[in-house]
Amino acid sequence: MKKFTLFLSILASFFIQDPQLPEMNEKDTGAIVKASYLYNFGKYIDWPEEEKTGNFIISVMGGDNLNQELVKNYNSKQIGLQQIEIRKLSKTLKISDCHIIYVGEEYLDLLPEIAEKFKNTPTLVVSDGEKTLSNGSAIAFVWNGNWLFDLKTSNAESLYIGATLKSLA
């Protein structure tokens, strides 16, 4: 019985996350959760009809682990009738049109310019940290013991954000 209890304690230690740390070393749970959120944002937002042809493009600036999770788990999926295409971006403002752009912590200095570029376009700007909503991000991931998100619909006026997504924010 003692061996079984020790085994359970060791096993539990692999799954229990320190509440001060949003990500684990071996498996980036933050990237996994954020990738899932990005995919689901695509499902719960209605893009204009002219944006419902071709690939559904999710661009990632920063967040290497997030990019890997998106490619691994969502690159072969669809949103509506559109095949998902993941694009990894470097630190540049030469960003082509996309449905969703994620701006990671390491590139937040570019967020105001990126948000301005996509203002009044059907592109959802997503970033890290609730303060980024004031810099033009429509959705901001926040760590509050779990990964959650805040939403500022006025930063996504060209998109129809459904009641389900609004209620989850």
Side-chain angles (χ1 to χ4, degrees):
M1 188 64 161
K2 287 182 182 180
K3 288 182 182 180
F4 181 71
T5 304
L6 178 63
F7 172 74
L8 286 178
S9 297
I10 293 170
L11 184 63
S13 71
F14 285 106
F15 294 104
I16 295 174
Q17 191 172 350
D18 182 341
Q20 300 299 318
L21 301 174
E23 300 172 349
M24 295 172 66
N25 290 339
E26 290 186 25
K27 194 171 204 176
D28 188 344
T29 56
I32 294 167
V33 171
K34 290 176 188 179
S36 176
Y37 272 136
L38 289 173
Y39 170 70
N40 284 294
F41 294 157
K43 292 176 18 181
Y44 288 110
I45 293 175
D46 192 21
W47 270 260
E49 284 302 314
E50 62 272 10
E51 299 299 319
K52 294 181 181 180
T53 60
N55 290 342
F56 187 93
I57 301 168
I58 301 174
S59 296
V60 180
M61 181 178 280
D64 291 338
N65 291 345
L66 173 61
N67 184 69
Q68 290 172 1
E69 286 298 325
L70 284 166
V71 169
K72 181 173 79 174
N73 294 309
Y74 301 101
N75 211 32
S76 62
K77 295 190 184 250
Q78 291 184 303
I79 292 180
L81 299 174
Q82 295 175 278
Q83 178 73 33
I84 294 176
E85 177 185 338
I86 309 301
R87 293 184 181 167
K88 178 71 173 148
L89 303 175
S90 59
K91 189 172 184 170
T92 179
L93 290 174
K94 294 181 181 180
I95 304 166
S96 60
D97 291 341
C98 54
H99 292 83
I100 299 173
I101 182 166
Y102 167 80
V103 182
E105 285 183 43
E106 59 268 51
Y107 295 109
L108 289 180
D109 59 319
L110 295 177
L111 181 61
E113 294 168 89
I114 292 168
E116 184 62 32
K117 175 182 172 111
F118 290 110
K119 187 176 184 177
N120 301 317
T121 70
T123 297
L124 180 71
V125 179
V126 180
S127 60
D128 287 319
E130 62 188 285
K131 293 179 182 176
T132 61
L133 295 175
S134 62
N135 285 331
S137 185
I139 294 180
F141 292 123
V142 292
W143 175 254
N144 189 16
N146 292 307
W147 281 108
L148 305 171
F149 66 92
D150 286 337
L151 172 66
K152 186 172 181 180
T153 56
S154 62
N155 288 347
E157 291 180 352
S158 298
L159 300 171
Y160 176 74
I161 298 176
T164 303
L165 187 60
K166 288 178 182 177
S167 70
L168 293 173

